[in-house]
Amino acid sequence: MGGTKDKLEGAFDEAKGKVKETFGDATDNESQQAEGVGDQVKGKAKQAWGNVKEAAEDVKEGAKRVTN
């Protein structure tokens, strides 16, 4: 379940970042744009970490089935 949570949090951070970036573009606020891009990168990283955790869980479950 941990991987799914990370993926959901990452998707939220990515969406939040896109809104900030768009707002920064519309208001010529470079700081807001940069913060939005940073949030998007953070969100993508969380999603990738969630994928890694899910893959590790799958491997662990597969190993349990093989040994039983």
Side-chain angles (χ1 to χ4, degrees), residues 19-33:
V19 169
K20 284 182 181 179
E21 181 186 15
T22 301
F23 181 77
D25 286 341
T27 59
D28 289 328
N29 184 330
E30 291 180 13
S31 175
Q32 191 75 36
Q33 288 171 324

Side-chain angles (χ1 to χ4, degrees), residues 18-65:
K18 187 63 178 167
V19 169
K20 284 182 181 179
E21 181 186 15
T22 301
F23 181 77
D25 286 341
T27 59
D28 289 328
N29 184 330
E30 291 180 13
S31 175
Q32 191 75 36
Q33 288 171 324
E35 189 175 326
V37 170
D39 285 347
Q40 289 176 66
V41 170
K42 177 178 140 184
K44 288 178 183 180
K46 275 188 183 177
Q47 289 179 65
W49 179 243
N51 288 335
V52 168
K53 286 171 79 173
E54 284 183 348
E57 290 168 7
D58 290 345
V59 168
K60 183 178 173 182
E61 287 301 314
K64 282 182 183 178
R65 282 187 226 124

Side-chain angles (χ1 to χ4, degrees), residues 5-19 39-40 42-44 46-47:
K5 181 180 179 242
D6 287 326
K7 288 169 54 174
L8 289 172
E9 287 177 359
F12 176 77
D13 286 342
E14 190 174 353
K16 177 178 70 173
K18 187 63 178 167
V19 169
D39 285 347
Q40 289 176 66
K42 177 178 140 184
K44 288 178 183 180
K46 275 188 183 177
Q47 289 179 65

